[in-house]
Amino acid sequence: MSSYKAESGHWYDVDGQPAYTVTGANGKERNTTLRDARKHNLVPSVTTILGVAAKPALENWKIDQAIKAAMGYHQGPDESDNAYLYRIKDQAKQSSKEAADRGTEIHAMIERGYLGLDYTSQAFKSVNYILEGLHPHQDWSAEASFCSDLGYGGKIDLYCPNEIVVDFKTKDDLEGKDPEKLVYDEHGMQLSAYAMGLGFDSPTRISVFIDRQDPSIALHYTWDKESHAKHCMMFKNLLSYWQLTKNYEPKLERLI
C-alpha cells in the first residue's frame, strides 16, 4: 500500500519527518493542530503556507461545483430554503472530496512507480514518458520530506540531485489544453519553496498535470529560471504573514 498522503494541512518535525497525527488525551490518533505544533515544535507544510493566499481559480471551481449541484437537485415542495441550501452545499463538498480523493489516488500510483513497486499504472507511464523526454536517466527520489531552517517543511512529489523539482497536479478535461494556461504563481511558489528546502540554488521546476479521468493524458510546464527568485520572495512573504497571524515561529536552532 502506498504511503502517499496529500500534504495540505500537514506538519513536520525539525528533522523533516511527517507529524500528520498525534495521540490525543483519549489515547486515539487525531490530526495534528496548531496547538500540538506549539507543544512539539513542528513546522507547517508548504501548502499550509500557500493556503493564506487567495486562489481565484480554485474558488471559481468551487462555485462551479455548487452551481452544478443546484442544477441537479431541485428544491422539494416541503423543503425549507435553509435545508435546500445545506443539501446543495453538502453535494458540492462531496464533489470536491471525490476530486481530491482521485488526485490522491493518482499521486499514489506515480509514487509507487518511482519507488519501483508498480510500473503498470497509466499515471506513472504518462509522467515517466514526459520526464524521460525532458531529462532522461535521472535518479529520481519520490515523496521525500524535509524541514527548512526558514520554518516550514514539505513532501516533494519528485526531485533529483541535478536540481530538478517536479510537482504533480490533477485536472479535469486536459485533452487539447495549453499547459501555459494551467499554471499560476502558486504552482511556481510551491516548486520554489521545495527547491529552497532542498538547498537548490538554480532549480529546474516542472509542473506536470494529469487528467483525473484519463491518466494517459498528461501535460507539463517548465518554469523559466528567472521567475524562481520572484517566487521565493513571494513564498517567504506568505510564510512571514502566516507566522505573524498565527503568532508562531518554530525554534530551529539545531538546524542552523
Side-chain angles (χ1 to χ4, degrees), residues 107-153:
H107 273 77
M109 292 176 186
I110 301 169
E111 177 198 1
R112 288 178 60 83
Y114 281 105
L115 292 178
L117 299 175
D118 184 1
Y119 296 105
T120 63
S121 77
Q122 187 58 61
F124 167 72
K125 291 178 181 178
S126 301
V127 171
N128 194 54
Y129 177 79
I130 288 174
L131 296 180
E132 278 297 302
L134 294 172
H135 303 280
H137 313 304
Q138 297 295 326
D139 184 17
W140 296 107
S141 296
E143 294 302 317
S145 58
F146 69 92
C147 174
S148 166
D149 59 11
L150 293 177
Y152 70 91

Side-chain angles (χ1 to χ4, degrees), residues 19-68:
Y20 303 154
T21 61
V22 297
T23 302
N26 60 0
K28 295 183 179 180
E29 192 175 50
R30 58 172 174 76
N31 291 335
T32 303
T33 66
L34 176 60
R35 182 177 181 180
D36 299 319
R38 295 181 192 278
K39 179 179 179 180
H40 299 290
N41 197 34
L42 305 177
V43 300
S45 70
V46 169
T47 49
T48 295
I49 301 306
L50 293 176
V52 303
K55 299 177 180 62
L58 176 60
E59 292 307 312
N60 187 63
W61 182 84
K62 290 180 178 179
I63 292 170
D64 286 347
Q65 301 313 301
I67 293 172
K68 289 177 181 178

Side-chain angles (χ1 to χ4, degrees), residues 199-254:
F200 292 170
D201 294 324
S202 183
T204 297
R205 299 168 297 150
I206 304 173
S207 295
V208 177
F209 300 92
I210 306 103
D211 193 286
R212 286 193 186 97
Q213 301 306 316
D214 185 358
S216 68
I217 302 173
L219 306 173
H220 77 278
Y221 180 84
T222 300
W223 292 85
D224 60 273
K225 295 273 188 176
E226 290 73 20
S227 65
H228 174 57
K230 180 188 80 169
H231 287 143
C232 285
M233 183 61 67
M234 291 171 69
F235 179 79
K236 288 177 181 177
N237 286 333
L238 289 180
L239 176 62
S240 295
Y241 179 81
W242 184 92
Q243 291 172 340
L244 289 168
T245 56
K246 302 299 181 182
N247 193 30
Y248 174 61
E249 187 172 354
K251 298 179 176 63
L252 302 173
E253 288 86 353
R254 59 176 172 159

Side-chain angles (χ1 to χ4, degrees), residues 44-206:
S45 70
V46 169
T47 49
T48 295
I49 301 306
L50 293 176
V52 303
K55 299 177 180 62
L58 176 60
E59 292 307 312
N60 187 63
W61 182 84
K62 290 180 178 179
I63 292 170
D64 286 347
Q65 301 313 301
I67 293 172
K68 289 177 181 178
M71 291 169 64
Y73 292 88
H74 298 293
Q75 186 172 1
D78 298 321
E79 187 175 25
S80 68
D81 290 345
N82 285 339
Y84 177 59
L85 287 173
Y86 179 85
R87 184 160 61 92
I88 295 304
K89 287 180 180 179
D90 186 64
Q91 180 59 36
K93 287 179 182 178
Q94 181 61 31
S95 298
S96 297
K97 181 179 183 303
E98 289 173 359
D101 288 346
R102 178 58 175 163
T104 299
E105 180 185 358
I106 289 174
H107 273 77
M109 292 176 186
I110 301 169
E111 177 198 1
R112 288 178 60 83
Y114 281 105
L115 292 178
L117 299 175
D118 184 1
Y119 296 105
T120 63
S121 77
Q122 187 58 61
F124 167 72
K125 291 178 181 178
S126 301
V127 171
N128 194 54
Y129 177 79
I130 288 174
L131 296 180
E132 278 297 302
L134 294 172
H135 303 280
H137 313 304
Q138 297 295 326
D139 184 17
W140 296 107
S141 296
E143 294 302 317
S145 58
F146 69 92
C147 174
S148 166
D149 59 11
L150 293 177
Y152 70 91
K155 182 172 278 192
I156 308 163
D157 285 343
L158 209 63
Y159 79 93
C160 74
N162 289 344
E163 298 204 357
I164 304 171
V165 187
V166 184
D167 185 66
F168 310 134
K169 302 294 182 190
T170 53
K171 296 281 188 179
D172 294 320
D173 304 319
L174 277 182
E175 189 167 11
K177 295 289 180 64
D178 180 357
E180 189 170 0
K181 295 181 179 179
L182 298 175
V183 292
Y184 297 91
D185 277 324
E186 176 194 349
H187 302 145
M189 281 191 283
Q190 185 172 4
L191 285 162
S192 290
Y194 290 156
M196 285 194 293
L198 292 168
F200 292 170
D201 294 324
S202 183
T204 297
R205 299 168 297 150
I206 304 173

